[in-house]
Amino acid sequence: MTRPLDSLRPHFYKARPLGVVLLALWATASGADVVNGAQLPDGVQKVGENRYRASRDYEATLDYYKTVYPSSSYPRRSIVNQPGVKAVHISNPSGKNFEGLNIYEANEEVRIYIVPLQGAAKPAKKETKPVRKTK
């Protein structure tokens, strides 16, 4: 038996399915790491500068990035054509903080590389003046 929402009886409308979905999305987004503006899945391990090892398999990692960076807004393209290697590049059209992400699987492990901006790839070194010796 359903009751209209605008009845005068003192009860509240309970949107249980919507609440569960919102709680799951909040829990997923709150635990994720953000590095240089790029979101990383839970359980990643840093293995180098802008390089991370994912704890999930390749397909699960791509599914994660389909929800975080939808393909309608963030274009994807295949970047490797070798047997035993799968790789995809996700472009960042805004160009803020990072150019894109490379997600690849090789030797049974999944790696994520955050492609830095071209101008911010290497910091400029300070030039030092030669020291003059005085007597």
Side-chain angles (χ1 to χ4, degrees), residues 25-53:
L25 287 174
W26 176 76
T28 302
S30 66
D33 293 331
V34 177
V35 177
N36 294 337
Q39 189 168 341
L40 297 172
D42 293 333
V44 296
Q45 298 172 346
K46 186 170 183 167
V47 294
E49 186 177 354
N50 294 327
R51 297 182 189 278
Y52 298 88
R53 180 183 302 124

Short mmCIF file of all heavy atoms in Angstrom, two decimals, residues 25-53:
data_model
loop_
_atom_site.label_atom_id
_atom_site.label_comp_id
_atom_site.label_asym_id
_atom_site.label_seq_id
_atom_site.Cartn_x
_atom_site.Cartn_y
_atom_site.Cartn_z
N LEU A 25 28.98 6.26 -3.72
CA LEU A 25 29.77 7.20 -4.52
C LEU A 25 30.65 8.08 -3.64
O LEU A 25 31.80 8.35 -3.97
CB LEU A 25 28.85 8.08 -5.37
CG LEU A 25 28.18 7.42 -6.56
CD1 LEU A 25 27.19 8.38 -7.21
CD2 LEU A 25 29.20 6.95 -7.56
N TRP A 26 30.12 8.50 -2.50
CA TRP A 26 30.91 9.31 -1.59
C TRP A 26 32.10 8.52 -1.04
O TRP A 26 33.21 9.03 -0.96
CB TRP A 26 30.04 9.82 -0.46
CG TRP A 26 30.82 10.58 0.56
CD1 TRP A 26 31.28 11.86 0.45
CD2 TRP A 26 31.26 10.12 1.84
NE1 TRP A 26 31.98 12.22 1.58
CE2 TRP A 26 31.98 11.16 2.45
CE3 TRP A 26 31.10 8.92 2.51
CZ2 TRP A 26 32.54 11.03 3.70
CZ3 TRP A 26 31.67 8.81 3.77
CH2 TRP A 26 32.37 9.86 4.35
N ALA A 27 31.87 7.26 -0.68
CA ALA A 27 32.95 6.43 -0.14
C ALA A 27 34.01 6.17 -1.20
O ALA A 27 35.20 6.16 -0.90
CB ALA A 27 32.39 5.12 0.38
N THR A 28 33.60 5.99 -2.45
CA THR A 28 34.56 5.76 -3.53
C THR A 28 35.39 7.00 -3.80
O THR A 28 36.59 6.93 -3.95
CB THR A 28 33.82 5.35 -4.82
OG1 THR A 28 33.06 4.18 -4.56
CG2 THR A 28 34.79 5.07 -5.94
N ALA A 29 34.76 8.15 -3.85
CA ALA A 29 35.47 9.39 -4.17
C ALA A 29 36.32 9.88 -3.00
O ALA A 29 37.36 10.48 -3.21
CB ALA A 29 34.48 10.46 -4.59
N SER A 30 35.89 9.62 -1.78
CA SER A 30 36.63 10.17 -0.64
C SER A 30 37.94 9.45 -0.39
O SER A 30 38.88 10.04 0.13
CB SER A 30 35.76 10.12 0.61
OG SER A 30 35.51 8.78 0.97
N GLY A 31 38.05 8.18 -0.75
CA GLY A 31 39.26 7.43 -0.48
C GLY A 31 40.29 7.53 -1.58
O GLY A 31 41.38 7.01 -1.45
N ALA A 32 39.98 8.16 -2.67
CA ALA A 32 40.89 8.20 -3.81
C ALA A 32 41.97 9.25 -3.60
O ALA A 32 41.74 10.29 -2.99
CB ALA A 32 40.11 8.50 -5.08
N ASP A 33 43.15 8.94 -4.10
CA ASP A 33 44.26 9.88 -4.04
C ASP A 33 44.21 10.80 -5.25
O ASP A 33 43.83 10.38 -6.34
CB ASP A 33 45.60 9.14 -4.05
CG ASP A 33 45.81 8.31 -2.79
OD1 ASP A 33 45.27 8.69 -1.75
OD2 ASP A 33 46.52 7.30 -2.87
N VAL A 34 44.63 12.04 -5.06
CA VAL A 34 44.72 12.99 -6.15
C VAL A 34 46.16 13.49 -6.20
O VAL A 34 46.69 14.00 -5.23
CB VAL A 34 43.75 14.18 -5.96
CG1 VAL A 34 43.92 15.20 -7.08
CG2 VAL A 34 42.31 13.70 -5.91
N VAL A 35 46.82 13.27 -7.35
CA VAL A 35 48.21 13.68 -7.55
C VAL A 35 48.26 14.55 -8.79
O VAL A 35 47.84 14.13 -9.87
CB VAL A 35 49.13 12.45 -7.72
CG1 VAL A 35 50.55 12.88 -7.98
CG2 VAL A 35 49.05 11.56 -6.49
N ASN A 36 48.77 15.76 -8.64
CA ASN A 36 48.86 16.73 -9.75
C ASN A 36 47.51 16.94 -10.43
O ASN A 36 47.43 17.15 -11.63
CB ASN A 36 49.88 16.28 -10.79
CG ASN A 36 51.29 16.29 -10.25
OD1 ASN A 36 51.58 16.99 -9.30
ND2 ASN A 36 52.15 15.50 -10.85
N GLY A 37 46.43 16.83 -9.69
CA GLY A 37 45.10 17.02 -10.25
C GLY A 37 44.49 15.78 -10.85
O GLY A 37 43.33 15.78 -11.23
N ALA A 38 45.24 14.68 -10.94
CA ALA A 38 44.73 13.42 -11.50
C ALA A 38 44.31 12.50 -10.36
O ALA A 38 45.03 12.33 -9.38
CB ALA A 38 45.79 12.74 -12.34
N GLN A 39 43.13 11.92 -10.50
CA GLN A 39 42.62 11.03 -9.47
C GLN A 39 43.15 9.62 -9.70
O GLN A 39 43.14 9.12 -10.82
CB GLN A 39 41.10 11.04 -9.48
CG GLN A 39 40.51 10.31 -8.31
CD GLN A 39 39.03 10.57 -8.17
OE1 GLN A 39 38.51 11.53 -8.72
NE2 GLN A 39 38.36 9.72 -7.45
N LEU A 40 43.60 8.98 -8.63
CA LEU A 40 44.14 7.63 -8.69
C LEU A 40 43.24 6.70 -7.89
O LEU A 40 42.68 7.09 -6.86
CB LEU A 40 45.55 7.59 -8.12
CG LEU A 40 46.59 8.40 -8.87
CD1 LEU A 40 47.89 8.44 -8.09
CD2 LEU A 40 46.82 7.82 -10.25
N PRO A 41 43.11 5.44 -8.32
CA PRO A 41 42.27 4.50 -7.56
C PRO A 41 42.90 4.13 -6.22
O PRO A 41 44.09 4.34 -6.00
CB PRO A 41 42.17 3.29 -8.49
CG PRO A 41 43.27 3.42 -9.45
CD PRO A 41 43.63 4.87 -9.54
N ASP A 42 42.10 3.56 -5.35
CA ASP A 42 42.59 3.13 -4.05
C ASP A 42 43.61 2.01 -4.22
O ASP A 42 43.52 1.19 -5.13
CB ASP A 42 41.43 2.61 -3.19
CG ASP A 42 40.46 3.70 -2.81
OD1 ASP A 42 40.89 4.86 -2.74
OD2 ASP A 42 39.28 3.39 -2.57
N GLY A 43 44.56 1.96 -3.32
CA GLY A 43 45.52 0.87 -3.29
C GLY A 43 46.68 1.00 -4.25
O GLY A 43 47.40 0.03 -4.47
N VAL A 44 46.88 2.16 -4.86
CA VAL A 44 48.02 2.31 -5.78
C VAL A 44 49.30 2.47 -4.97
O VAL A 44 49.29 2.96 -3.84
CB VAL A 44 47.85 3.51 -6.74
CG1 VAL A 44 46.68 3.32 -7.66
CG2 VAL A 44 47.75 4.81 -5.99
N GLN A 45 50.41 2.03 -5.57
CA GLN A 45 51.72 2.17 -4.95
C GLN A 45 52.59 3.00 -5.86
O GLN A 45 52.65 2.75 -7.06
CB GLN A 45 52.37 0.81 -4.76
CG GLN A 45 51.62 -0.12 -3.85
CD GLN A 45 52.22 -1.50 -3.85
OE1 GLN A 45 53.01 -1.85 -4.71
NE2 GLN A 45 51.81 -2.30 -2.88
N LYS A 46 53.29 3.96 -5.28
CA LYS A 46 54.17 4.80 -6.08
C LYS A 46 55.43 4.01 -6.40
O LYS A 46 56.06 3.42 -5.52
CB LYS A 46 54.52 6.08 -5.32
CG LYS A 46 55.31 7.05 -6.15
CD LYS A 46 55.44 8.39 -5.48
CE LYS A 46 56.18 9.32 -6.42
NZ LYS A 46 56.11 10.69 -6.01
N VAL A 47 55.81 3.98 -7.69
CA VAL A 47 57.01 3.26 -8.11
C VAL A 47 58.04 4.18 -8.75
O VAL A 47 59.14 3.75 -9.05
CB VAL A 47 56.66 2.10 -9.07
CG1 VAL A 47 55.86 1.03 -8.36
CG2 VAL A 47 55.93 2.59 -10.29
N GLY A 48 57.69 5.42 -8.98
CA GLY A 48 58.60 6.39 -9.57
C GLY A 48 57.91 7.73 -9.65
O GLY A 48 56.77 7.89 -9.20
N GLU A 49 58.59 8.69 -10.25
CA GLU A 49 57.99 10.00 -10.40
C GLU A 49 56.83 9.93 -11.38
O GLU A 49 57.01 9.53 -12.54
CB GLU A 49 59.03 11.01 -10.90
CG GLU A 49 58.49 12.41 -10.94
CD GLU A 49 59.55 13.42 -11.39
OE1 GLU A 49 60.71 13.03 -11.56
OE2 GLU A 49 59.18 14.58 -11.58
N ASN A 50 55.63 10.27 -10.92
CA ASN A 50 54.38 10.22 -11.69
C ASN A 50 54.02 8.81 -12.16
O ASN A 50 53.21 8.66 -13.06
CB ASN A 50 54.44 11.17 -12.90
CG ASN A 50 54.51 12.61 -12.48
OD1 ASN A 50 53.96 13.00 -11.47
ND2 ASN A 50 55.21 13.42 -13.26
N ARG A 51 54.59 7.78 -11.57
CA ARG A 51 54.31 6.39 -11.95
C ARG A 51 53.77 5.63 -10.75
O ARG A 51 54.32 5.71 -9.65
CB ARG A 51 55.56 5.70 -12.48
CG ARG A 51 56.08 6.33 -13.73
CD ARG A 51 57.31 5.60 -14.26
NE ARG A 51 57.92 6.33 -15.35
CZ ARG A 51 57.51 6.28 -16.61
NH1 ARG A 51 56.49 5.52 -16.93
NH2 ARG A 51 58.11 6.98 -17.55
N TYR A 52 52.70 4.87 -11.00
CA TYR A 52 52.03 4.14 -9.94
C TYR A 52 51.67 2.74 -10.40
O TYR A 52 51.36 2.52 -11.58
CB TYR A 52 50.76 4.89 -9.50
CG TYR A 52 51.08 6.24 -8.95
CD1 TYR A 52 51.18 7.35 -9.78
CD2 TYR A 52 51.31 6.42 -7.60
CE1 TYR A 52 51.51 8.60 -9.27
CE2 TYR A 52 51.63 7.66 -7.08
CZ TYR A 52 51.73 8.74 -7.93
OH TYR A 52 52.06 9.97 -7.43
N ARG A 53 51.69 1.79 -9.48
CA ARG A 53 51.26 0.41 -9.74
C ARG A 53 49.86 0.26 -9.15
O ARG A 53 49.63 0.52 -7.98
CB ARG A 53 52.21 -0.58 -9.08
CG ARG A 53 51.81 -2.03 -9.31
CD ARG A 53 52.72 -3.02 -8.58
NE ARG A 53 54.10 -2.83 -9.00
CZ ARG A 53 55.10 -2.58 -8.17
NH1 ARG A 53 54.89 -2.47 -6.87
NH2 ARG A 53 56.33 -2.44 -8.63
#
